[in-house]
Amino acid sequence: MTNPETSRYVRLRVDLVLEVRDSGALTGGALRQIAEDARISPVEAAQAEAAVKQDTAEALAYLVDPFDLVRKVPGIDLTQASWSSEEIVYDPDSSDWDDDEDDVPEGVGSALR
């Protein structure tokens, strides 16, 4: 794809599995961030607080911002981002969690291996 229209855009996919060792700290951090967020209305804040208190995955999603991952990367503008989190059953030996080495072209992502 050497077309100038398509080569300007790159999709970066990141899949993380995190172990929540202190759900109280995670929830508390999300609640603090909601309380300090002047951009949201009291109604939105109440809804966010309820969701965060009910689900640690919601708390994590509230605290993690994909903009922070690329904010200091020179030469780019983040065009679009979306993210979500969900509680899962994690088995590190499952084939579902392989590192997809066969799907990565040679030389791409090698710094992470």
Side-chain angles (χ1 to χ4, degrees), residues 1 7 16 34 36 99:
M1 292 188 133
S7 64
L16 303 170
I34 293 166
E36 295 170 0
D99 58 7

Side-chain angles (χ1 to χ4, degrees), residues 19-113:
E19 178 182 1
V20 177
R21 294 186 176 197
D22 187 343
S23 61
L26 177 62
T27 300
L31 292 172
R32 278 189 298 282
Q33 187 157 325
I34 293 166
E36 295 170 0
D37 191 344
R39 299 171 298 167
I40 62 175
S41 72
V43 171
E44 291 171 319
Q47 292 170 343
E49 288 172 1
V52 161
K53 288 176 182 176
Q54 185 175 1
D55 185 358
T56 55
E58 285 290 332
L60 181 62
Y62 200 89
L63 288 169
V64 173
D65 184 349
F67 293 93
D68 291 340
L69 296 173
V70 296
R71 187 172 318 240
K72 294 182 181 179
V73 175
I76 65 152
D77 287 318
L78 182 60
T79 304
Q80 181 178 355
S82 66
W83 67 104
S84 66
S85 63
E86 61 185 341
E87 291 183 4
I88 60 167
V89 174
Y90 177 63
D91 177 5
D93 298 324
S94 170
S95 62
D96 292 339
W97 300 105
D98 67 7
D99 58 7
D100 294 328
E101 285 188 31
D102 296 336
D103 296 340
V104 178
E106 190 63 35
V108 175
S110 59
L112 299 176
R113 291 189 192 148

